[in-house]
Amino acid sequence: MVRYLLLAVNFVVVLLMALAPWAVLKREFGGVGVLLTPFDLVNPQNLQLPAMNTGWAAPFFWVWVLLVLVASAALFLPDARTRARLLYGVGAVGLLLFVAEAVVFYQTVNAINGPALEAGTSPRRLPLRRFSLSLGAYMGVFFSLGMLILARLQLAGGKAFLVRYRGVVVPLVSLLLASLIGALVVGFIRPGLGAEGKVLPLLDAIATKLDLVTYTFQLLFSPVISVTGWFQSLLLATPLIFTGLAVAFGFRSGLFNIGAPGQLTVGAIAAMLVGVYLPGPGWVTLPLSIAAAAAGGALWGAIPGWLKARFGAHEVINTIMLNYVAASLFLFLIAANEYKFFGTTVRLPFKAEGFEARSNEVQEGSRIPLMLDLLVRDGHLSWAIPLALVLGLVAYYTQRRMDLGRRLLISGGAVLAGYVVGGFLPGPSVELTSALTSSRFNGAFLLAVLALLFYNFYLFRTPGGYELRAVGLAPKAAEYGGVNLRSKTVLAMAISGALAGLAATHYVLGGGIDEYRLKQSLPTSVGFDGIAVALMGQNTPIGISLSALLFGVLLTGGLDLNQQLAVSRELVTVLQALIVLFIAAGGFLPRYFIDPLQAAQVETEARAELEAREKALVGRA
């Protein structure tokens, strides 16, 4: 049955390669372009195109058909090792074939654009603009990677190999399923690019629809190919890292902290109070403002933790209710300056002058600097942060014989020394674009990195973290082992709240939106987005950082998508919701991908099978 299903998949791959564009030779703003398919050019808007070689796609297509036929035949071979060798060969040849396609395509483009550039033509007026490979070529990459994975499954322990990396497999499959449904949504709500108001031949209409879907996802992921896009994506990912860690910390401790919005709000209030009104030099007020944000979130997280520990009240209900309390307190402080209580007028100093609900500005010494100011000084790249990171990592990994506390202390000293020394080293000059200089990406990202390190070291390298994970996995067993469940519940919720509260530093102290102040537009919804980040990241620090970055890239790319194709940015929200839905369903994968006990059984069976084969080989010898 599985073999026939794979045959059907191979048929779909060939069909898409035949119908989809392999390359976009020229594209105008708004998405209309000239599409190259294996058998024809699709030019719905009759754009001018210079004479060029467009016949390379057809030979490559027929080579792919041959590869797919070889892979399909290999599925029915009786010997597993022979199947694996053939499938490995198909995957490797397929990747090389894609590289050859890319080389031929870009050489063709350079043959047209090269002379124009040498003649001084502006990049915006080149004969070929916004050119790129498209879905037909990308299908070869997906097919080749699939063949390599399928080849590994043919060998002993293949299933256990995938199960071992289920923390990666489940999110990737969920992302793939969400992208497929997102593609169907886009294809349904919009006509093909260039097909508006036109009746095209069936194959051309299909090609323009597939180009629409491809270009949609190219725009969504376009931030990864520019420095400005990276800055904006990391700007949006920074608070998601904090809230994702907050939710994941609760999950690891057996708690569902859905109160990150309220904890972020109270953290923002505390950061504002210290950052605006505490006198003193910046080296005192800035750390205290950051600590206040963490303390405010910790307080708002500890309250439902104590209620659960003392009265058994469920943390989900308590945290949801406290979100509303925090929002009301937030508006009470900055919505007005005067309130009447029992006939007495009380004046509060927190609201700034004007009609807008906002606080006074954070004093300059309490502001987190922009990352651009940390990375570039006086027009030259600063080596301070890169050298600090390198020395910190070197110090940590060269002191493995020491206990964790000393290693961290030595690494911290190395980071500080690297930052000081790097600040004096001359760096290369850099030219900054207006888009970069206007970016609000700030040093709160470095705090997010420190939070990731804390999450990893505390949960997985300390006795306290071990006890919290034990409480999360088996509370009764942990209590029998001497763990105080009540104190650990309060502690877990307090730390989770502190991580969520630190997200406020990005907005209030770092000016993540537009100003260094507390404003009514504080995006507390990132607290709920942290649930999606934690789920997709599988509650691991690396997974959380990558999933936060993914959502940051999608949110940034959503702006380009809306501007160029008029596709609503809500598509990103749809993708996030679908990812969470499919992860909750385990990516519709077999249960051994989501059940740790069944996963362990699969790995045990694989080891037993491998040992049996080794004994058989020894016996034959």
Side-chain angles (χ1 to χ4, degrees), residues 317-328:
I317 297 174
N318 292 330
T319 50
I320 289 176
M321 294 300 102
L322 283 172
N323 286 342
Y324 291 104
V325 176
S328 300

Side-chain angles (χ1 to χ4, degrees), residues 186-415:
V186 172
F188 179 76
I189 64 177
R190 270 218 52 171
L193 294 177
E196 296 90 342
K198 288 195 171 189
V199 179
L200 299 177
L202 177 61
L203 295 182
D204 289 1
I206 294 174
T208 57
K209 275 286 188 183
L210 293 174
D211 180 49
L212 165 67
V213 171
T214 307
Y215 193 47
T216 295
F217 284 92
Q218 284 178 332
L219 287 175
L220 280 177
F221 289 97
S222 61
V224 300
I225 62 174
S226 69
V227 177
T228 305
W230 275 101
F231 266 55
Q232 185 63 25
S233 300
L234 291 172
L235 166 73
L236 297 173
T238 298
L240 293 176
I241 293 174
F242 285 118
T243 55
L245 288 173
V247 175
F249 198 95
F251 282 153
R252 288 287 186 179
S253 307
L255 301 167
F256 191 2
N257 179 15
I258 203 172
Q263 293 148 15
L264 187 156
T265 300
V266 175
I269 293 172
M272 179 272 294
L273 293 175
V274 176
V276 174
Y277 299 103
L278 182 68
W283 59 270
V284 172
T285 59
L286 177 56
L288 290 179
S289 300
I290 296 172
L299 172 65
W300 220 245
I303 293 173
W306 178 77
L307 292 173
K308 181 178 180 66
R310 179 67 178 83
F311 303 104
H314 203 286
E315 71 275 6
V316 171
I317 297 174
N318 292 330
T319 50
I320 289 176
M321 294 300 102
L322 283 172
N323 286 342
Y324 291 104
V325 176
S328 300
L329 177 62
F330 171 62
L331 290 177
F332 171 75
L333 290 177
I334 66 170
N337 286 326
E338 293 184 356
Y339 293 95
K340 287 189 176 181
F341 295 96
F342 305 104
T344 302
T345 300
V346 177
R347 182 172 178 81
L348 300 177
F350 307 115
K351 182 181 181 300
E353 295 297 330
F355 65 91
E356 187 179 357
R358 59 179 186 171
S359 72
N360 293 307
E361 276 200 321
V362 172
Q363 55 187 320
E364 193 167 345
S366 298
R367 298 176 184 179
I368 297 176
L370 298 176
M371 284 297 295
L372 201 61
D373 295 334
L374 295 173
L375 295 173
V376 178
R377 296 177 182 175
D378 300 325
H380 290 77
L381 183 68
S382 172
W383 294 109
I385 292 180
L387 186 60
L389 291 175
V390 170
L391 290 183
L393 291 173
V394 169
Y396 180 79
Y397 284 105
T398 55
Q399 305 296 325
R400 295 186 177 182
R401 295 183 179 181
M402 291 188 178
D403 59 83
L404 181 61
R406 291 184 179 180
R407 288 176 71 185
L408 292 177
L409 185 62
I410 293 175
S411 300
V415 167

